[in-house]
């Protein structure tokens, strides 16, 4: 698989594994099965309640309304689930921006509109060729939107001293941790790791008190737990920005 390094606006280097064509096709097929099941369900409901008493245009309007979620599925799912559809969740892939910034709804809109070219025109040949031949494995919609589909099977490697690895769904404790600067966190982490390794509890206590003063908080956590939590919270918020 190909890799790509992205530098975010917080000067964080992220090494991503680009999703392959097979993964993208599998995710598409899974989503297709879900949409097919939905359409079967809608048809079943309409047959149960009956539409014979309605005029033709009313039936067409009702069917169009019920099938609208199918047409917009990719667009709204990517927005709601942060670059993922159900198929992408299963396959463990995700859409991200190539410049490291958060993906805007307009980027998803561009990708969705260009599905007409990538997927539905010539039975997906254009999209597949673009993915196979492109260095970043982007289909036309990705190239136009400035996005890329990555694999998240392996946790993203963050090669930056101020950040911590955090689990998916992490809930921050100190919401005002962004009062700290990158320089503050870098120095705090360096001092924390040295003091923790040498069991210098006095330094840990001083460091903890300094952070509490800056953040204007008081915590019942032990010194190590407090500092470690602050570092993780900072990591969480800087990745969300």
């Amino acid at each position: 698989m190909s890799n790509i390094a992205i530098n975010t606006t917080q000067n964080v280097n992220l090494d991503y594994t680009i999703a392959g064509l097979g993964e993208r096709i599998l995710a598409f097929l899974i989503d297709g099965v879900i949409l097919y099941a939905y359409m079967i369900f809608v048809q079943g409901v309409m047959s149960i309640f009956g539409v014979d008493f309605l005029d033709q245009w009313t039936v067409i309007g009702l069917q169009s309304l019920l099938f609208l979620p199918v047409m917009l599925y990719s667009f709204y799912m990517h927005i709601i689930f942060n670059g993922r559809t159900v198929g992408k969740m299963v396959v463990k892939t995700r859409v991200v921006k190539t410049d490291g910034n958060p993906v805007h709804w307009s980027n998803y809109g561009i990708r969705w509109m260009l599905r007409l070219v990538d997927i539905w025109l010539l039975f997906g040949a254009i999209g597949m060729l673009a993915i196979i031949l492109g260095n970043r494995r982007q289909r036309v919609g990705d190239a136009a939107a400035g996005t890329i589909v990555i694999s998240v099977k392996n946790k993203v490697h963050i090669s930056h001293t101020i950040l911590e690895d955090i689990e998916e769904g992490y809930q921050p404790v100190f919401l005002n941790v962004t009062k700290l600067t990158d320089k503050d966190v870098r120095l705090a982490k360096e001092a924390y790791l040295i003091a923790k390794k040498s069991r210098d509890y006095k330094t840990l206590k001083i460091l903890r008190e300094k952070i509490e003063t800056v953040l204007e908080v008081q915590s019942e956590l032990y010194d190590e737990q407090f500092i470690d939590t602050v570092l993780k919270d900072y990591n969480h918020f800087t990745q969300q920005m």
Side-chain angles (χ1 to χ4, degrees), residues 185-218:
V185 177
R186 185 179 299 109
L187 293 174
K189 182 172 182 180
E190 290 175 355
Y192 169 63
L193 293 177
I194 293 173
K196 182 179 178 181
K197 185 175 181 179
S198 61
R199 301 195 178 189
D200 185 352
Y201 302 115
K202 182 178 180 181
T203 298
L204 287 174
K205 183 174 178 59
I206 294 173
L207 180 59
R208 181 242 180 83
E209 292 174 348
K210 178 64 176 177
I211 295 175
E212 283 185 327
T213 300
V214 174
L215 298 184
E216 298 179 343
V217 299
Q218 296 245 329

Side-chain angles (χ1 to χ4, degrees), residues 120-216:
W120 306 119
L121 188 64
L122 298 179
F123 303 100
I126 295 177
M128 287 190 289
L129 284 175
I131 293 171
I132 293 172
L133 299 177
N135 292 331
R136 292 185 171 185
R137 303 292 188 266
Q138 293 170 295
R139 62 177 177 87
V140 176
D142 285 315
T147 58
I148 192 169
V149 179
I150 62 167
S151 173
V152 292
K153 290 179 181 178
N154 298 318
K155 195 169 183 67
V156 174
H157 176 66
I158 304 175
S159 55
H160 197 282
T161 57
I162 69 173
L163 296 180
E164 295 283 308
D165 288 331
I166 58 174
E167 63 274 11
E168 187 175 353
Y170 177 80
Q171 296 297 319
V173 178
F174 303 105
L175 303 182
N176 60 341
V177 72
T178 50
K179 286 185 176 182
L180 299 171
T181 65
D182 282 359
K183 182 178 180 181
D184 293 334
V185 177
R186 185 179 299 109
L187 293 174
K189 182 172 182 180
E190 290 175 355
Y192 169 63
L193 293 177
I194 293 173
K196 182 179 178 181
K197 185 175 181 179
S198 61
R199 301 195 178 189
D200 185 352
Y201 302 115
K202 182 178 180 181
T203 298
L204 287 174
K205 183 174 178 59
I206 294 173
L207 180 59
R208 181 242 180 83
E209 292 174 348
K210 178 64 176 177
I211 295 175
E212 283 185 327
T213 300
V214 174
L215 298 184
E216 298 179 343

Side-chain angles (χ1 to χ4, degrees), residues 73-130:
Y73 172 83
S74 176
F75 179 56
Y76 64 75
M77 287 293 287
H78 279 102
I79 294 176
I80 296 172
F81 294 104
N82 194 23
R84 296 174 296 175
T85 62
V86 174
K88 285 184 172 66
M89 293 179 196
V90 174
V91 180
K92 297 185 178 180
T93 58
R94 179 183 171 190
V95 176
V96 299
K97 284 275 285 181
T98 55
D99 59 7
N101 289 316
V103 186
H104 191 261
W105 67 266
S106 60
N107 302 121
Y108 295 130
I110 293 172
R111 295 183 80 256
W112 174 74
M113 288 187 291
L114 287 176
R115 286 165 65 90
L116 177 63
V117 176
D118 283 316
I119 299 175
W120 306 119
L121 188 64
L122 298 179
F123 303 100
I126 295 177
M128 287 190 289
L129 284 175

Side-chain angles (χ1 to χ4, degrees), residues 46-58:
M46 293 183 68
S47 65
I48 291 174
F49 288 97
V51 293
D52 295 336
F53 62 91
L54 299 176
D55 62 84
Q56 182 180 2
W57 289 109
T58 302

